[in-house]
Amino acid sequence: MRTLIVLTLLAVLVMAATCYESRESMESHEYFNPFLNRRRANDFIQADTRLRAITQERIRERSKAHHEHQRELCEDYYPCEQYAFRHGYAAAYKHYFGRRRTK
């Protein structure tokens, strides 16, 4: 009978030592409220930098410089491109597209 009581006390002590919740684990606010609100949920997740770079590229494509737009137009038209090899893209654009007037 004594051995049964001693083994029971020993089992209770082992269980108390291994299952004790330390103060450090209680400090975590996730212990009391495991769910985060939507605003705090994104605080620790960084946006994907590749996605940001792709977005910036798309914005740059929409707002090109005037001379870059002219150069692309000249590159698409073969005679203008050939003229540009000898005289430059500005002169080629002016030669082939400069006479056009928009209404």
Side-chain angles (χ1 to χ4, degrees):
M1 185 73 164
R2 263 188 197 174
T3 56
L4 185 61
I5 292 173
V6 170
L7 285 175
T8 305
L9 284 173
L10 187 61
V12 168
L13 285 173
V14 168
M15 205 166 79
T18 57
C19 297
Y20 173 72
E21 287 287 332
S22 67
R23 184 174 157 240
E24 292 172 355
S25 66
M26 293 292 208
E27 288 176 353
S28 174
H29 50 276
E30 295 164 354
Y31 180 78
F32 298 110
N33 188 6
F35 301 105
L36 298 173
N37 64 19
R38 289 180 183 173
R39 290 183 183 159
R40 289 203 50 228
N42 290 330
D43 287 346
F44 59 92
I45 296 176
Q46 296 295 323
D48 191 9
T49 55
R50 288 176 290 152
L51 183 62
R52 186 177 296 147
I54 291 170
T55 305
Q56 290 295 328
E57 176 95 17
R58 298 288 183 245
I59 290 170
R60 274 188 238 115
E61 283 178 1
R62 282 189 223 137
S63 58
K64 291 182 180 177
H66 184 65
H67 58 76
E68 187 176 351
H69 183 66
Q70 289 178 351
R71 181 179 179 136
E72 287 181 357
L73 280 174
C74 192
E75 285 176 350
D76 290 341
Y77 186 54
Y78 184 74
C80 182
E81 187 177 19
Q82 292 299 315
Y83 192 88
F85 285 141
R86 292 186 181 176
H87 303 286
Y89 280 101
Y93 181 83
K94 189 175 180 182
H95 179 76
Y96 283 98
F97 301 106
R99 291 181 231 134
R100 291 185 179 184
R101 304 247 170 131
T102 56
K103 294 181 183 178

